[in-house]
Amino acid sequence: MSSVVIVGAQWGDEGKGKIVDIYTEFADVVIRYAGGPNAGHTLVIGDDKLVVRLLPSGILRPGTLCVLGQGMVVDPTVLVGEIDELKRRGHDDIEARLAISDRSHLILPYHIQIDTLRESSLPKERALGTTKKGIGPAYEDKVRRTGIRAGELRDLKQLTGSVEASLEAWAPVITALGGSVPVAKDIVAELAPLAQRLVPMLTDTSRVAHDALKHNKRVMLEGAQGTLLDIDHGTYPFVTSSSAVAGGAAIGAGIGPNRIDTVIGITKAYATRVGSGPFPTELDDEAGAHLRNVGVEFGSVTGRPRRTGWLDLPALRYASRVNGIDGLALTKLDVLTGLPQIKVCVAYDTPAGRVTDLPIDQLDTPGLTPVYEVLEGWDEPLASARVLDQLPRAARAYVRFLEEAAEAPVFLVSVGPRRAETIVLHNPFVGRAETP
Ligand code: GDP
Ligand code: IMO
Ligand code: MG
């Protein structure tokens, strides 16, 4: 048995797509366990780029079974669009190696309508800056117990009744927001051709995961979003609505927590955030512009410019604690090339004194200031490095510094968006490649 969780250690967009794709070369099954089309996971193969939003990032590895777990919220229109895009690219077998949990919840057009109306009706300081993909309302429907599960696509008559009940619960909200309440029958009529496409792939994916582990297959559990966007552990209320952390993998894939062997946390060599909410190490200067421009920090789903800042070690240690991170994948180290100096937040000064633990619920309190350590920069490009020794001395020192301060070994260093632009130090499906 071998199962590995890949989880974002920051506010999302850490490079999960690339790292899942790299390690999936050695996996048999990849399961996305949380979130929906708010995710945008980028895969760069040669000069070809693909951004997946619902499909697991292992999808380009031939023969890999890809699973959408029950922790997800699935927009049928987006999913069929992604499947067709993959077919256009020549992946004709995609439907044969895709399994969709019949207990995942559906995002329907009114979830998107509510998300959009709500965001635009809120005053600027309270708007979350959501991706407007209907994520919040779909998960709200789920916990209110009026949600629509993918399995209901099998019986359109029953589905109509469920959509009517869900709409009844939402009608006062839609009306108060100035929208018009849609008709259940119209929604189901639009769903019918999509249902025909998706129903053959619906199954009890917990059974798929269980059988794979029982037969000693290698299972990759792919997170979406990141620890600081998690509904319980993130910077609430500026979070998403799902369990993004590693614990969410057990629930979202339908396996016991004792079936997870390794947790890999992904962090960029700096920090970014898209959407609203506290970000104490945020930069509004030349260094911040360097990170955005060189790192191409623009949302892969919404195209919004990402906010940029220095790496936050208290936040990384916090992520390590709440996820049980065994090792780190450090991405985008190459983006730091050319910065004269690199700062890293090592602690916080608060009105009550200096703390090294992340004061997660006080991040936007006046008087809270990050304490920085300044490290030496470097000018050499890193993209051709394949082993740590090929990195310039200052870049190696940066990796070492993080490893010690984060109290977790570095398993992988990414020095560019392409598959080959990677230094693999440890592969949890295989073993240690290079002693750091
Ligand atoms: P995800 O949501 O965690 O999968 O990350 P995104 O795909 O939203 O954003 C990461 C971006 O960084 C994508 O454009 C990747 O192609 C790119 N990327 C990933 N790793 C590296 C790296 O090591 N260096 C550089 N320069 N780009 C990277
Ligand atoms: P990946 O998987 C970065 C952010 C949104 C917003 C908040 C709530 O690509 O890392 P939502 O639409 O989920 O209700 O928005 O969460 N957010 C992300 N930020 N990467 C993501 O996904 C995100 N998914 C949601 O910007 O601040
Ligand atoms: Mg992303």
Side-chain angles (χ1 to χ4, degrees):
M1 184 187 95
S2 184
S3 64
V4 177
V5 176
I6 300 262
V7 66
Q10 300 170 302
W11 281 287
D13 302 326
E14 297 90 348
K16 295 176 291 292
K18 170 177 168 170
I19 307 308
V20 168
D21 171 67
I22 294 275
Y23 283 128
T24 298
E25 186 183 355
F26 306 90
D28 304 293
V29 184
V30 191
I31 307 175
R32 249 283 299 267
Y33 64 79
N38 48 348
H41 297 178
T42 311
L43 306 169
V44 182
I45 316 299
D47 291 327
D48 215 15
K49 181 172 141 177
L50 175 73
V51 178
V52 285
R53 295 171 53 193
L54 287 167
L55 293 175
S57 299
I59 199 79
L60 296 182
R61 296 288 184 185
T64 308
L65 176 62
C66 291
V67 177
L68 276 68
Q70 68 200 48
M72 291 187 71
V73 282
V74 176
D75 182 329
T77 309
V78 175
L79 182 54
V80 169
E82 287 200 282
I83 293 170
D84 287 345
E85 171 63 19
L86 266 284
K87 283 180 152 181
R88 262 195 299 279
R89 290 169 180 247
H91 298 272
D92 295 325
D93 67 336
I94 173 166
E95 278 146 328
R97 54 190 184 90
L98 203 56
I100 305 162
S101 167
D102 51 13
R103 276 176 260 166
S104 60
H105 277 250
L106 295 184
I107 299 178
L108 296 180
Y110 53 92
H111 295 123
I112 300 171
Q113 180 194 14
I114 296 159
D115 195 1
T116 308
L117 286 173
R118 208 155 49 186
E119 276 291 286
S120 42
S121 74
L122 285 170
K124 198 171 170 279
E125 66 282 1
R126 280 181 44 220
L128 301 179
T130 73
T131 58
K132 298 186 180 159
K133 303 297 174 199
I135 307 300
Y139 278 116
E140 282 169 64
D141 240 352
K142 171 177 169 173
V143 294
R144 188 173 54 194
R145 294 159 291 183
T146 52
I148 317 294
R149 304 207 292 186
E152 294 201 54
L153 290 172
R154 293 183 181 119
D155 180 343
L156 296 186
K157 204 164 156 222
Q158 185 198 320
L159 177 68
T160 311
S162 301
V163 174
E164 271 166 5
S166 166
L167 277 174
E168 208 176 291
W170 281 116
V173 176
I174 298 175
T175 309
L177 288 167
S180 53
V181 182
V183 177
K185 275 205 174 110
D186 296 345
I187 290 172
V188 175
E190 273 180 38
L191 275 176
L194 303 171
Q196 220 168 19
R197 296 280 307 277
L198 298 177
V199 164
M201 290 174 269
L202 294 177
T203 188
D204 174 358
T205 51
S206 161
R207 164 63 60 195
V208 174
H210 179 83
D211 288 348
L213 291 169
K214 195 167 135 193
H215 293 105
N216 285 319
K217 304 265 194 219
R218 290 159 296 186
V219 178
M220 169 69 79
L221 297 149
E222 175 183 1
Q225 290 74 55
T227 305
L228 299 172
L229 288 173
D230 178 274
I231 185 71
D232 289 288
H233 301 286
T235 49
Y236 194 89
F238 297 98
V239 293
T240 189
S241 298
S242 62
S243 294
V245 294
I251 299 166
I255 58 172
N258 56 347
R259 295 293 184 269
I260 295 170
D261 297 317
T262 307
V263 177
I264 299 181
I266 307 199
T267 177
K268 285 182 195 178
Y270 50 95
T272 63
R273 173 164 206 169
V274 59
S276 322
F279 183 5
T281 65
E282 184 168 8
L283 291 167
D284 186 18
D285 61 5
E286 235 174 81
H290 171 108
L291 297 174
R292 184 171 312 104
N293 296 331
V294 179
V296 201
E297 295 296 355
F298 296 89
S300 26
V301 173
T302 59
R304 292 179 287 180
R306 294 175 183 150
R307 301 157 66 191
T308 52
W310 298 120
L311 186 66
D312 184 332
L313 282 173
L316 190 54
R317 285 193 294 266
Y318 172 79
S320 183
R321 164 156 65 90
V322 300
N323 290 295
I325 289 173
D326 293 299
L328 292 168
L330 176 66
T331 59
K332 304 193 95 161
L333 187 63
D334 55 298
V335 175
L336 300 182
T337 290
L339 286 171
Q341 56 177 28
I342 300 161
K343 290 189 184 174
V344 181
C345 167
V346 291
Y348 279 100
D349 275 338
T350 75
R354 186 163 289 189
V355 294
T356 50
D357 252 7
L358 183 72
I360 185 147
D361 293 324
Q362 285 111 49
L363 290 185
D364 50 8
T365 316
L368 180 113
T369 15
V371 178
Y372 289 109
E373 196 149 320
V374 181
L375 283 88
E376 205 185 319
W378 60 87
D379 285 322
E380 298 88 337
L382 309 186
S384 60
R386 298 294 172 265
V387 292
L388 277 185
D389 277 349
Q390 290 169 345
L391 291 176
R393 186 188 46 79
R396 277 201 313 272
Y398 189 73
V399 176
R400 292 270 174 272
F401 176 80
L402 291 193
E403 195 164 44
E404 270 173 41
E407 296 161 10
V410 170
F411 281 1
L412 179 151
V413 180
S414 175
V415 290
R418 293 182 176 79
R419 278 176 176 166
E421 292 164 340
T422 314
I423 301 169
V424 179
L425 302 164
H426 180 69
N427 179 339
F429 290 124
V430 175
R432 188 157 282 278
E434 184 193 345
T435 311

